Amino acid sequence: MAAGSGPGGAAGASAARRAQQARRQERLLREQWQAARARAERWEAASEGEQRVAAQLLMLAERGWRLLVDRRWPGTRAANVDMLLIGPGGVFVIDVKNWRAAPEASAGRLRAGGFSRDEHRRKLLAVTKAAEGAVASLGMSPVAVRPLLAFAGHRVDAELGRVRLLGEREIGPALLSERTRLSAESVRALTEHLERVFPEYEAPPAVAAPDTATSDTASRIPDAASDGLFDLDGLRDAALDEARRAPIEQWMTFLDPDQLALVRRNWAGPARISGPAGTGKTVIALHRAAYLAQRTNGRILYVTFANNLPRVQATFLKTMAPAVADRVDFRSLHSWAQDYLRDRGVPVHLHKAKAETAFSFAWKHVGRNSCLTEIDPQHPYWREEIDYVIKGRGITAFEEYAALPRRRRRAGLRRPHRQAVWSLYEAYEAQRTERAVHDFNDVLSLALAEAAGRIGHSAYTAVVVDEVQDLTLVGVRLLHALVGDTPNGLLLVGDGQQAVYPGGFRLSDAGIDIRGDRGQVLRANYRNSKEIVDTALSVVAEDAFEDLDGLRTPGRRDIDLTYHGGEVQRAVLPTPAAHDEALLTALRSLTPQELAGSAVLCPAKRAIEHYQRLLTRAGLRVCSLDRYDGHPVEAVKLGSYRRAKGLEFKRVYLPQHDTPPSTGTPDGRTPAETADERAELARSQLYVAMTRARDVLWLGSVRPVREN
């Protein structure tokens, strides 16, 4: 018999195994005891610091806030997070300090008692980054997470970059004054999720208001046998549904987790984000501006072409990230350029009416009897040629114009026609100079000349350009000159299919090189349902377009749909009066809250004026898009297709949407060679208007009944 193979040997092996298990259990108990002792010592040491601050924060529980204390930093073995505070004002990552010396914020560094304490700031920023990733998985912007250093025994209220410094007496009032950005349901969902991401050290559980029905579920940590209540996808869907139920202004700042990577990406140079309508380009641009403002010391310039958008977007950013709102300048390009020149002592004499008079004289003496009337006898087409093709591209020599590909201009021009255009341009410039006035293109050209001589001396750390396809080449060159090719310096956002102005260019013409992954194309539509998308795409399905990257793109693009709740309603009436009555009936059926999320959009000024009178006489409150600033208002929005760019609404009403646009010719005919171009531009504008709708797209038509 082999040694150890009998009963005695088996018993000895069993005893040895039990002894090993006992020793392992002893080591485990010793480690647990040591950990418990360390926790006790930590709490005892913090009794004069953390507990006083915690007492201040616990008072916030009566206002809907939740407090998580002494949490484990995910991805580490022993590092901890003092406190996570979740409430109506957002998520705060709090590190409590009980220093004898008062903190000092100097030259971007944290000091106390004459020594550097900056490592505490760096650690807090690192753990805040982990919290940002956690909340982003629920569709919340990382700008909703704020790092906060709380100092027991000191009175302080300061900022060190994105880190807020508050004393124990200041912390409560400061947090209560935060703008409300989260509902009670969002606070609950975030608390549950953060409990999982930041597990506890067996410390006191989350504290919520005593009278809340969910305080018991919010304080427990789910285990592997969870029934799905805390499923991440479920929480994300709940957050998405809640955002859709909220006022449309809140929905327009909702960030999907899939978009987060672009907000936080480190770009090696200029970057561009494109994609069809509804893919969240403007949302990403807004969050990117806030993200950069949090992480840089300089100012951020956010530019659009339209005058109304900067007011709206500034309101959105202030709601999303009030702490950095004053670091981002929202401006229309021409308004900013005028101030830029004025600040540098460059005289500007912008006068739209006098410039139009100068062109009228030039057309009368040079253009009206030229060969240009063979193509289009009306001067607006040729004014656009000068504005968008010649001056908009900064062309100053005829030979350059003669060889230029006229992007997005369908009417073919032979050399004699281009010579006639150039003569008209020179006559206009002479008339304008004689009157000592500038036009809008001159303002951008003057600003570009000024900026080109100051490369490297810009007041801006970064420039974000929204709806870039609506700018001229000179405008894009100007903005590029402010930051050059510096990393994270220039972000261009836009879509060539949504261009609503004539003319075009390529980014390479501006000297902007978008390499590799610095050119991102979005494909997931978060706004429109399939029915609304199909209706809008049917308008531009045959209109292939050249985007800013020079690629020819079909009008009907592949889109991934994420929303399925929208519908198209059609109202076909025999007379304009019956049509307008149907529109009023539809609007009168809405509640004040529903009316606040609605817009009536028209292609031209005359139609806007008509529906302003109609709605006002009917007793409906109206808010012009020219005055809309992004704050919720219980009134139907009214404006043009162009003014609706960059915005969205729960309900969009397009009265007489299929009425052919006016050609502007005396006999009502559209010149054959420019008809296609005008019609394509009108279709692009209609496509933009249709895709503003999230839940309801109402399409009105007037079709007289034909008698047999």
Side-chain angles (χ1 to χ4, degrees), residues 291-428:
Y291 183 81
L292 292 175
Q294 284 186 337
R295 286 157 176 79
T296 62
N297 294 324
R299 301 193 64 78
I300 312 298
L301 177 63
Y302 192 110
V303 173
T304 65
F305 179 81
N307 290 324
N308 62 313
L309 277 182
R311 293 193 304 272
V312 176
Q313 292 164 333
T315 298
F316 289 167
L317 187 109
K318 191 171 183 179
T319 300
M320 290 162 38
V324 299
D326 60 348
R327 300 260 317 284
V328 183
D329 294 336
F330 287 90
R331 301 295 302 274
S332 67
L333 177 59
H334 288 95
S335 173
W336 174 85
Q338 290 179 69
D339 288 346
Y340 178 77
L341 292 170
R342 188 179 301 111
D343 292 343
R344 283 153 183 78
V346 179
V348 177
H349 305 288
L350 181 64
H351 199 295
K352 182 180 178 181
K354 289 184 178 180
E356 290 175 347
T357 299
F359 183 83
S360 296
F361 272 91
W363 175 255
K364 177 181 178 181
H365 296 295
V366 176
R368 190 167 59 185
N369 297 317
S370 71
C371 61
L372 297 180
T373 57
E374 301 169 359
I375 296 176
D376 195 318
Q378 299 300 307
H379 74 266
Y381 186 84
W382 305 111
R383 178 64 191 268
E384 290 172 351
E385 182 77 7
I386 291 174
D387 281 343
Y388 293 98
V389 180
I390 296 179
K391 300 190 72 171
R393 293 181 63 95
I395 295 174
T396 57
F398 170 70
E399 291 304 325
E400 184 181 0
Y401 173 63
L404 181 73
R406 299 166 59 252
R407 307 192 190 284
R408 295 212 309 260
R409 300 288 273 177
R410 287 181 175 269
L413 298 185
R414 298 187 299 275
R415 188 176 180 88
H417 295 115
R418 297 204 185 204
Q419 288 174 331
V421 171
W422 195 259
S423 296
L424 177 62
Y425 159 69
E426 291 181 324
Y428 165 60

Side-chain angles (χ1 to χ4, degrees), residues 58 66 102 108 188 196 246 262 269 402-403 407 433 556 564 588 634:
L58 286 176
R66 307 249 178 136
R188 184 191 71 85
R196 300 184 67 184
L262 297 180
R407 307 192 190 284
T433 302
R556 185 177 289 278
H564 308 284
R588 284 170 175 151
E634 291 185 354

Side-chain angles (χ1 to χ4, degrees), residues 470-679:
D470 289 336
L471 271 57
T472 62
L473 179 61
V474 170
V476 174
R477 283 175 173 165
L478 166 60
L479 297 171
H480 183 215
L482 295 180
V483 290
D485 295 330
T486 57
N488 301 314
L490 180 66
L491 177 62
L492 306 172
V493 178
D495 173 36
Q497 191 172 34
Q498 299 179 67
V500 296
Y501 297 96
F505 59 90
R506 294 177 178 175
L507 291 180
S508 57
D509 299 334
I512 299 175
D513 184 8
I514 306 296
R515 296 185 178 181
D517 67 351
R518 286 193 277 124
Q520 293 287 319
V521 181
L522 307 178
R523 303 197 183 279
N525 186 312
Y526 298 93
R527 178 196 306 152
N528 311 122
S529 68
K530 184 178 188 303
E531 186 178 3
I532 292 176
V533 167
D534 287 345
T535 301
L537 286 178
S538 68
V539 174
V540 294
E542 304 303 320
D543 296 335
F545 65 96
E546 182 180 295
D547 211 343
L548 300 184
D549 54 10
L551 296 178
R552 194 71 175 169
T553 305
R556 185 177 289 278
R557 292 185 278 179
D558 293 332
I559 301 173
D560 299 327
L561 299 176
T562 65
Y563 182 49
H564 308 284
E567 62 173 324
V568 176
Q569 300 175 356
R570 297 181 184 271
V572 182
L573 286 305
T575 65
H579 166 278
D580 289 353
E581 186 58 36
L583 173 62
L584 290 177
T585 299
L587 293 175
R588 284 170 175 151
S589 69
L590 303 179
T591 67
Q593 293 76 21
E594 290 172 336
L595 200 68
S598 303
V600 175
L601 304 179
C602 307
K605 181 179 179 181
R606 181 176 298 179
I608 294 173
E609 294 171 346
H610 167 73
Y611 286 104
Q612 174 76 47
R613 293 191 297 270
L614 180 74
L615 299 181
T616 302
R617 284 199 301 263
L620 293 168
R621 291 189 61 193
V622 177
C623 175
S624 169
L625 286 184
D626 288 333
R627 297 192 300 271
Y628 175 55
D629 64 0
H631 288 98
V633 54
E634 291 185 354
V636 61
K637 313 305 183 298
L638 175 64
S640 68
Y641 294 173
R642 291 178 177 179
R643 283 289 183 262
K645 295 198 68 174
L647 302 175
E648 58 185 88
F649 309 92
K650 291 184 178 181
R651 297 165 182 81
V652 168
Y653 299 81
L654 304 183
Q656 300 194 46
H657 77 286
D658 51 0
T659 301
S662 174
T663 63
T665 57
D667 56 6
R669 293 184 301 104
T670 301
E673 292 198 70
T674 56
D676 288 345
E677 184 178 328
R678 294 183 187 279

Side-chain angles (χ1 to χ4, degrees), residues 63-66 84-92 131 135-136 138-146 175 178-192 194 235 238-240 242-243 246-247 250 253-255 287 318-322:
R63 306 289 185 92
W65 293 74
R66 307 249 178 136
L84 292 170
L85 184 69
I86 308 99
V91 177
F92 292 84
V135 302
L138 293 182
M140 178 180 288
S141 168
V143 301
V145 183
R146 299 279 304 281
L175 295 181
E178 287 286 330
R179 179 189 299 269
T180 299
R181 60 183 303 151
L182 298 178
S183 67
E185 180 64 22
S186 293
V187 171
R188 184 191 71 85
L190 276 170
T191 304
E192 293 170 351
L194 289 173
L235 289 175
L240 181 59
E242 181 183 345
Q250 183 173 331
T253 63
F254 181 84
L255 182 70
H287 285 81
K318 191 171 183 179
T319 300
M320 290 162 38

Side-chain angles (χ1 to χ4, degrees), residues 426-442:
E426 291 181 324
Y428 165 60
E429 288 295 281
Q431 291 283 346
R432 183 185 60 76
T433 302
E434 181 180 329
R435 288 167 174 76
V437 296
H438 293 123
D439 60 22
F440 288 107
N441 283 297
D442 296 321

